[in-house]
Amino acid sequence: MIYQSSWPCIPGFVGGSDCGCKWRWQARPISGERGGKDCERKLSVLTVGVLLGKGDGTFQTAIAYVSGGSSVSSVAVADVNGDGIPDVAVVNGCGGGNCANEGTIGILLGNGDGTFQAPVIYSSGGYRTVSLAVADVNGDSKPDLVVVANPLVANCGGSCGPGNGVLDVLLGNGDGTFKPAVTYDSGGNDAVSAAVADVNGDGKPDLVVANACFASGGICPGQLGVLLGNGDGTFQAAMAFASGGAFSSSIAIADVNGDGRPDLLVANQLSACSYCGTGSVSVLLNNTPFDTTPPVITPLCHADKTLATERPTCAVTLSGTITDTGSGVNASTAEFAVQDEYGEVQPLIALGPAGNYSFTILLRAGRRGNDLDGRHHTITVVANDNAGNSGSQTSVVTVPHDRGN
């Protein structure tokens, strides 16, 4: 579905004219000629401004912090070192004031009082770095960085030049530092924006990136790349989807039709394949068949009744399987609860490769009052699959009393 917005042509720096206006290139060679090879564009080191709020809708004067690079284009706030204090991650399109260098990421750790430390610089893994997202992509509860970048091309950043865009993933160590970037093809040309969400319902974060142009260059159409996650911080090759417009510039993910599946919304600078015209917003509804079936759990209880008559506790073995043919069992969620008439305990379960489990627990055999029919224990096994569906199964075991019935 395409929605148009009014967006006039923007006068450009260089490039051909179309319908009376010149297209704006993202960068240009210092020779001033489109396609020149002198990409030594020198830039001043830029800053990040922090405006502390007064609580009444107004803000204090901005405090500027050096970003650690040039061509600052995106900023995010997250606690990257686990101290409970917000930190700042900033994208520098150029490293060291020179756009022939790789872009960088500046990490400014927070002091907790609204001020920030000097940036620690990480290579973004690509050139013309334009945006980033912060999310836990490998399930270790530590923030990771997903950076949108592009190759260094002869036109020094001219939109939709040769070469696909890239996504660079920097896994976090949890202490404010990050591992070196791992690079993935964005599935289109001139990558500009990325978002992280589970788009196929397997419980693993996926990446979605907006590319201004399709893979072979040109302006029409824009292209979205969807990189399914493996759950360990690595991703599969990008699947390409037409954005419904040209020069796609931003991506958002939300369930817009209430079916429980995340949909894609993409902003296109142009709605048609020309250099001038109106912009548009495209909506791509998700038709992935999500896993909605809970895991299958089979418990089997066995109590050693002989010992139960002689001791205050009874050894009970519970075994069985937990399987799921859809998204697979999330082994970290497998647990059991034991409840008798008087209390409850709830340890964890260790699953084998085929979903099999077996454990032995000591259950009390003592009675209270005039309870003469043995002590009844209800054991419940619970587990989730990777799509978030929960399954449970209950079994009852009777332990004879430690003294006469």
Side-chain angles (χ1 to χ4, degrees):
M1 291 181 286
I2 309 298
Y3 301 86
Q4 287 192 341
S5 64
S6 177
W7 190 82
C9 295
I10 296 180
F13 301 128
V14 292
S17 62
D18 188 6
C19 58
C21 59
K22 292 184 178 181
W23 185 251
R24 179 183 65 185
W25 293 93
Q26 292 180 335
R28 62 176 178 178
I30 59 174
S31 63
E33 296 178 2
R34 176 179 171 186
K37 296 185 180 300
D38 186 358
C39 290
E40 290 269 331
R41 185 168 58 135
K42 297 291 185 179
L43 299 172
S44 300
V45 175
L46 301 183
T47 60
V48 176
V50 178
L51 290 76
L52 298 178
K54 297 180 180 180
D56 59 359
T58 64
F59 296 86
Q60 300 177 28
T61 303
I63 301 174
Y65 295 87
V66 173
S67 70
S70 302
S71 291
V72 177
S73 57
S74 182
V75 65
V77 178
D79 177 16
V80 299
N81 63 345
D83 63 357
I85 299 173
D87 309 306
V88 172
V90 59
V91 166
N92 300 298
C94 306
N98 186 342
C99 280
N101 296 333
E102 284 189 351
T104 61
I105 306 299
I107 302 296
L108 292 74
L109 297 179
N111 297 317
D113 57 359
T115 65
F116 296 87
Q117 301 173 31
V120 178
I121 305 303
Y122 296 86
S123 172
S124 70
Y127 300 88
R128 296 195 294 128
T129 309
V130 290
S131 66
L132 87 164
V134 181
D136 176 17
V137 300
N138 62 345
D140 64 356
S141 300
K142 302 171 184 176
D144 308 308
L145 304 180
V146 178
V147 182
V148 180
N150 289 278
L152 182 66
V153 295
N155 64 6
C156 203
S159 188
C160 298
N164 276 8
V166 296
L167 288 176
D168 297 304
V169 178
L170 292 79
L171 297 179
N173 297 315
D175 58 359
T177 65
F178 295 86
K179 294 179 172 62
V182 178
T183 299
Y184 299 87
D185 192 296
S186 71
N189 191 274
D190 204 14
V192 289
S193 177
V196 181
D198 176 17
V199 299
N200 64 342
D202 65 355
K204 304 170 185 176
D206 309 309
L207 306 182
V208 182
V209 56
N211 299 289
C213 321
F214 63 97
S216 59
I219 69 165
C220 189
Q223 192 151 281
L224 304 181
V226 177
L227 292 77
L228 298 180
N230 298 316
D232 58 358
T234 64
F235 296 87
Q236 301 173 33
M239 297 182 292
F241 298 86
S243 71
F247 287 115
S248 302
S249 57
S250 184
I251 185 77
I253 303 177
D255 178 13
V256 298
N257 62 346
D259 65 355
R261 293 179 281 197
D263 308 305
L264 307 183
L265 298 90
V266 56
N268 304 298
Q269 295 184 28
L270 296 172
S271 59
C273 299
S274 67
Y275 281 109
C276 296
T278 57
S280 67
V281 175
S282 301
V283 179
L284 288 76
L285 297 178
N286 193 332
N287 58 7
T288 304
F290 276 23
D291 176 15
T292 59
T293 304
V296 177
I297 301 173
T298 61
L300 175 64
C301 288
H302 170 71
D304 188 338
K305 297 185 178 181
T306 301
L307 291 177
T309 60
E310 302 172 355
R311 300 178 181 179
T313 58
C314 173
V316 174
T317 299
L318 187 72
S319 60
T321 58
I322 303 176
T323 58
D324 186 89
T325 58
S327 57
V329 178
N330 184 344
S332 65
T333 67
E335 58 187 19
F336 70 92
V338 181
Q339 182 175 359
D340 61 11
E341 295 103 319
Y342 321 120
E344 180 176 332
V345 295
Q346 190 165 332
L348 298 176
I349 295 176
L351 288 184
N356 53 298
Y357 65 91
S358 180
F359 55 88
T360 299
I361 51 179
L362 294 176
L363 300 182
R364 293 185 63 85
R367 64 177 177 175
R368 292 187 182 180
N370 296 321
D371 184 5
L372 299 179
D373 60 351
R375 190 160 182 166
H376 307 293
H377 296 264
T378 301
I379 304 176
T380 302
V381 178
V382 180
N384 296 341
D385 64 16
N386 289 310
N389 303 305
S390 181
S392 66
Q393 191 62 255
T394 297
S395 183
V396 178
V397 61
T398 299
V399 178
H401 291 312
D402 57 340
R403 54 188 186 270
N405 289 335

